[in-house]
Amino acid sequence: MSGMASDHNTSSQEEYIPHYLQKEDPFASKLSREADIIAGFYLTVIGILSTLGNGYVIFMSSKRKKKLRPAEIMTVNLAVCDLGISVVGKPFSIISFFSHRWMFGWIGCRWYGWAGFFFGCGSLITMTAVSLDRYLKICHLSYGTWLKRHHAFICLAIIWAYAMFWATVPFAGVGSYAPEPFGTSCTLDWWLAQASVAGQAFVLSILFFCLLFPTAVIVFSYVKIILKVKSSTKEVAHYDTRIQNSHVLEMKLTKVAMLICAGFLIAWIPYAVVSVWSAFGQPDSVPIQFSVIPTLLAKSAAMYNPIIYQVIDCKFACCRSGGLKAKSSLKKSRTYTISAPRDSVAMNETQLE
């Protein structure tokens, strides 16, 4: 019986034909022209806001590049990844949505899919590194004393190499990039999992190393930070108001990084769920009109971070001077640096002995 089941599974995989091979023109839009125009305007707004916001962060950081702390360097790298998604990728999809079809053929499709995956993976791994940095600084005080700028640049090299490896693996014949079911965008060929065991292994590897593992590290880091913050809040509860205000500010600045990670994951997890269902569920069971919504949501992820930076700047501008004064009033304390997501926001968190 098991042999018959195996034969049936193999035959079903061999019989499966992905959506982009079922019709002569895989790049024709499967949406209405009105829906394509709406999507095109949406991506245009997202692209402009993301380009201006992340470009501003990079510009302001470049004016003091020699003074950037390690955590601020990682923040700049996140802005570079988000800007790359906006500048390199979005014009292709915007033009295609307005044209009611993908306009750049298979070469453009593979380039677009590679660029989106490369910068998206780079963003997630950068946030993973930032979460680890903050976890070690807050929960293991000795870490902040030896971290230098050259350590941050080594970390950046690892991040870019990691993203480059996984984005380029499909070109080695292990996987591929293919049109989305709605025709006007391209992505990883999730549908290979329906065709072969090798395709399933490829998709599972991508999901684990480029989504599940980084997300697990981020969640672990911020759970430990929350526990540490709660315990330190009790320790400073009996000190004067200035110290308490400084501590509250530091707690809120720690939450900024959590907010950035949450925004990224909220934008990408629906797309990941739909992709996994397309890969391992019933073939072509995801309606085309439904599949475009998670895709558009994921493309908005690059816009959130600059908005968060600006909101936090405005919200805490009145608190910075008080936090800095509180630092000088602690004579018998151990201090270490924690950088806010935006380069211009840098505070000193005080850990009482």
Side-chain angles (χ1 to χ4, degrees), residues 228-239:
K228 183 67 176 180
V229 165
K230 286 184 177 180
S231 64
S232 60
T233 300
K234 295 178 182 179
E235 292 175 3
V236 300
H238 61 283
Y239 284 86

Side-chain angles (χ1 to χ4, degrees), residues 50-293:
S50 176
T51 301
L52 293 177
N54 288 291
Y56 175 77
V57 171
I58 295 171
F59 172 74
M60 295 302 294
S61 300
S62 66
K63 296 175 66 175
R64 52 186 298 269
K65 56 185 177 182
K66 294 183 179 180
K67 298 181 180 180
L68 292 177
R69 295 176 175 86
E72 293 173 319
I73 293 173
M74 303 302 295
T75 300
V76 175
N77 190 65
L78 182 60
V80 170
C81 292
D82 290 342
L83 184 64
I85 293 175
S86 302
V87 174
V88 176
K90 282 188 173 60
F92 286 80
S93 54
I94 291 172
I95 293 172
S96 296
F97 272 116
F98 281 126
S99 301
H100 198 49
R101 62 173 289 108
W102 179 258
M103 299 295 294
F104 306 97
W106 278 104
I107 294 177
C109 180
R110 294 187 177 99
W111 160 253
Y112 177 85
W114 177 89
F117 185 41
F118 173 68
F119 288 113
C121 182
S123 293
L124 182 57
I125 303 304
T126 300
M127 284 186 284
T128 305
V130 170
S131 69
L132 278 174
D133 172 78
R134 293 172 186 270
Y135 161 70
L136 292 173
K137 282 183 178 178
I138 294 174
C139 300
H140 301 276
L141 299 181
S142 59
Y143 169 75
T145 63
W146 63 264
L147 182 68
K148 307 299 180 183
R149 283 169 58 93
H150 69 271
H151 294 120
F153 288 116
I154 292 173
C155 186
L156 291 185
I158 295 173
I159 290 171
W160 287 110
Y162 191 93
M164 177 66 72
F165 172 79
W166 287 107
T168 309
V169 160
F171 293 131
V174 179
S176 183
Y177 294 100
E180 298 269 16
F182 50 88
T184 47
S185 181
C186 294
T187 185
L188 280 167
D189 192 347
W190 303 104
W191 303 272
L192 285 175
Q194 299 281 356
S196 67
V197 174
Q200 293 176 357
F202 165 72
V203 171
L204 288 174
S205 298
I206 290 292
L207 287 173
F208 178 78
F209 289 104
C210 300
L211 180 63
L212 297 180
F213 177 69
T215 301
V217 173
I218 291 172
V219 172
F220 167 81
S221 299
Y222 288 122
V223 167
K224 298 294 287 186
I225 288 173
I226 290 172
L227 296 177
K228 183 67 176 180
V229 165
K230 286 184 177 180
S231 64
S232 60
T233 300
K234 295 178 182 179
E235 292 175 3
V236 300
H238 61 283
Y239 284 86
D240 63 39
T241 304
R242 290 182 303 169
I243 299 174
Q244 293 181 29
N245 290 340
S246 177
H247 189 75
V248 169
L249 176 60
E250 290 151 4
M251 290 172 56
K252 292 181 178 179
L253 292 175
T254 301
K255 293 177 182 179
V256 172
M258 299 171 60
L259 185 60
I260 291 173
C261 293
F264 183 92
L265 294 176
I266 290 172
W268 278 98
I269 284 179
Y271 178 78
V273 170
V274 171
S275 299
V276 170
W277 184 259
S278 299
F280 298 101
Q282 289 297 112
D284 306 323
S285 59
V286 180
I288 293 177
Q289 290 76 10
F290 178 77
S291 67
V292 71
I293 298 175

